[in-house]
Amino acid sequence: MSTKPIRTRFAPSPTGRMHIGNARSALYPFLLARRLGGTFILRIEDTDQKRYEPGAEQELIDGLHWLGLNYDEGPDIGGPHGPYRQTERRAIYHEHAWKLVEQNNAFPCFCTSERLANVRQEQLKNKQNPRYDGLCRALTPEEARQRVDGGDKYVIRFKMPKEGSITTTDLLRGSITTENSALDDTVLLKSDGLPTYHLAAMVDDHEMEITHVIRGSEWLPSMPLHIHVIRAFGWDEPVFAHLSVFLKPSGKGKMSKRDRADAMKDGYSIFLGDMKDLGYTPEGVLNWIALMGWGVAEDDVMTLDQMITRFGIDHLTPSPAAINFQKLDHFNATHIRLFSTEDLAGRIKPYFTREGLNVNDEVLLKIVPLLRERLVTLDDCLSFGSFFFKDDVTPVLEDLIAKGLDAGQSAEIAQRTYEILAAQPDISHERCEPPLRAYVEESGLNANQVFGILRVATTGQKVSPPLFESMEIIGREKCLARIKTSVEILKKI
Ligand code: GLU
């Protein structure tokens, strides 16, 4: 058992928007580090210049902060093992690649892409697995050196042993032995001088003293190469855990970013930025993704702190997880119910102001208890509660006409409720409900008809938080004015 301090990392490539796969790849190493008093690092793997997207790094950083997955070392905050952005570490990779060449574990290769394409085509024609054919592997170190010094363009390839086999261990899947003859002389350093993932990540995990590598299962096939590289340097191997893949909601096929449009149609998204706009909370999102690959009960509701206490890396499971957005809704709604009134008020306020509404904080605090149970996403506060912050509401005529009655009869009811309420010194729940109920009794109408009209008149909508509590918050003046407007609307036809 190693006694090294625990160090884990999230090592995203800034090639697109931050999605739930990234979030989960950050969450587990974060939990492991926090559980065991270790250090959690953010490392930006930006060596693939073709796929690089400006803005992606900031989105990743913002996403981590939003989720509360704060890192101890990273590109924006520094740390003892920096720089934490791979393009700023070129010299380190260069030096390591050449070290492997000197040790005879790697070789410079001068083959052009045309030549490589031809070799590949030939191999495919002969039903062979495409791989490097070894032309430059046969050069003597002196010949190779001369060509490099002469300015020939080159890459550095790993010199895969021709014989023997390698056994690698994934914490979730156990050991796998691979024949070296099945492995390629993979490129470690590209002709632009930047490393491939295979070199950069191994060097950095070593230099940054990473003890546990938790990463996506797409890296499982290259693990034998990675272990070869690590052993060629004579380094200790970190523990490797490859996370399960996400499946589409249908369970059929791997979830891809292209499925975004489909999800958005239903009001869902796999991108963190969208999820925030759609009214999902970090707590709900974290709880949802935590359980996709962590073998705790499917409906366990946990805050981040509770996850830290319960997390164990050996609880992770390799089975694919189907994305289930209904579960996301469930966790989001559940966490919203757990927020304090002040906390929830602060979280829904931006959704009102985003709509241009002028939010009175006192009113906001009063409506939170009325809304809380009705919210699945934070932006649901708009459909249930915008009317609290509007000067006027604009009820639709059809909504004002109670079931089984016509406009004239509905106008009369509205007028009568107006008179009843106008006779009250205030429109507190206690004061208003008894006379209105008495009116329902004596008129022979049913409560839904009367209160339905009143609801639409005062809130402008057919569905609202409890009527009397809502009217009390709207206030006497506004309620009376709104009912009067409705009477006029109903009388107009
Ligand atoms: N940059 C790699 C990716 O985004 C990181 C894999 C890893 O965690 O090592 O897929």
Side-chain angles (χ1 to χ4, degrees), residues 9 11-13 45 197 201 213-215 218-219:
R9 88 298 193 275
S13 302
E45 302 205 327
Y197 171 80
V213 172
I214 301 176
R215 60 182 186 178
E218 66 271 26
W219 296 111

Side-chain angles (χ1 to χ4, degrees), residues 394-434:
T394 41
V396 177
L397 174 65
E398 295 79 65
D399 292 347
L400 281 169
I401 301 173
K403 213 169 165 203
L405 304 175
D406 61 22
Q409 291 164 313
S410 301
E412 258 173 58
I413 296 171
Q415 178 60 31
R416 190 70 198 105
T417 61
Y418 176 88
E419 286 155 15
I420 293 169
L421 292 173
Q424 309 302 323
D426 65 68
I427 57 165
S428 63
H429 185 174
E430 300 75 42
R431 225 181 252 284
C432 296
E433 190 169 357

Side-chain angles (χ1 to χ4, degrees), residues 70 88-89 100 146 157 171-172 194 200 248 291 342 348 359 368 374 384 406 420 458 474 478:
N70 298 325
E88 293 166 18
R89 299 171 64 80
L100 288 183
Q146 247 175 18
R157 291 180 181 273
L171 190 73
L172 317 185
L194 281 168
K248 290 179 203 288
L291 301 195
E342 288 71 22
I348 59 177
V359 178
V368 165
R374 292 173 162 76
F384 290 116
D406 61 22
I420 293 169
T458 53
I474 297 166
K478 269 194 190 170

Side-chain angles (χ1 to χ4, degrees), residues 9-270:
R9 88 298 193 275
F10 170 46
S13 302
T15 53
R17 303 189 57 202
M18 183 172 185
H19 51 76
I20 54 173
N22 297 131
R24 193 185 56 167
S25 292
L27 174 64
Y28 294 149
F30 168 86
L31 291 177
L32 183 68
R34 292 291 173 266
R35 172 88 186 102
L36 301 176
T39 303
F40 174 58
I41 293 163
L42 171 64
R43 180 171 79 222
I44 298 292
E45 302 205 327
D46 56 350
T47 59
D48 190 344
Q49 298 288 285
K50 281 192 225 91
R51 294 176 59 222
Y52 179 80
E53 264 191 39
E57 176 181 322
Q58 194 53 47
E59 180 164 337
L60 286 158
I61 290 176
D62 293 345
L64 291 174
H65 288 319
W66 184 65
L67 291 170
L69 304 180
N70 298 325
Y71 40 90
D72 308 302
E73 299 170 23
D76 54 335
I77 54 172
H81 297 267
Y84 295 90
R85 211 175 273 118
Q86 289 185 327
T87 47
E88 293 166 18
R89 299 171 64 80
R90 279 168 199 260
I92 301 174
Y93 309 124
H94 195 263
E95 187 192 311
H96 279 85
W98 276 101
K99 181 153 195 271
L100 288 183
V101 174
E102 279 151 28
Q103 290 177 187
N104 200 25
N105 292 119
F107 60 92
C109 168
F110 306 91
C111 294
T112 60
S113 39
E114 294 77 47
R115 176 174 187 277
L116 295 173
N118 288 339
V119 168
R120 189 186 152 82
Q121 235 170 20
E122 198 61 25
Q123 287 168 335
L124 287 174
K125 216 165 71 194
N126 299 332
K127 307 248 175 316
Q128 290 165 327
N129 280 338
R131 59 168 63 197
Y132 184 61
D133 66 350
L135 184 72
C136 295
R137 185 173 166 138
L139 296 174
T140 65
E142 295 71 33
E143 281 171 317
R145 186 31 86 193
Q146 247 175 18
R147 290 183 65 173
V148 169
D149 291 345
D152 277 11
K153 244 182 143 176
Y154 69 97
V155 301
I156 289 181
R157 291 180 181 273
F158 189 72
K159 197 174 223 173
M160 188 55 73
K162 298 269 186 219
E163 323 262 292
S165 60
I166 187 153
T167 299
T168 61
T169 306
D170 169 69
L171 190 73
L172 317 185
R173 296 166 181 81
S175 295
I176 302 168
T177 299
T178 311
E179 292 301 320
N180 291 333
S181 57
L183 302 170
D184 205 355
D185 291 341
T186 308
V187 174
L188 300 180
L189 196 74
K190 296 177 284 184
S191 57
D192 61 3
L194 281 168
T196 58
Y197 171 80
H198 311 298
L199 178 68
M202 297 316 115
V203 168
D204 288 349
D205 285 340
H206 171 73
E207 297 261 306
M208 296 179 182
E209 296 176 26
I210 300 302
T211 51
H212 296 75
V213 172
I214 301 176
R215 60 182 186 178
S217 56
E218 66 271 26
W219 296 111
L220 204 51
S222 28
M223 200 182 167
L225 166 67
H226 298 160
I227 301 298
H228 268 298
V229 171
I230 293 172
R231 289 187 189 165
F233 282 116
W235 296 333
D236 287 346
E237 291 162 37
V239 173
F240 280 91
H242 292 87
L243 301 174
S244 58
V245 292
F246 284 142
L247 301 177
K248 290 179 203 288
S250 62
K252 289 189 200 100
K254 216 177 129 192
M255 184 80 183
S256 75
K257 294 185 208 168
R258 281 180 295 280
D259 296 312
R260 171 175 187 247
D262 285 346
M264 278 303 262
K265 268 190 260 148
D266 301 326
Y268 296 111
S269 176
I270 55 165

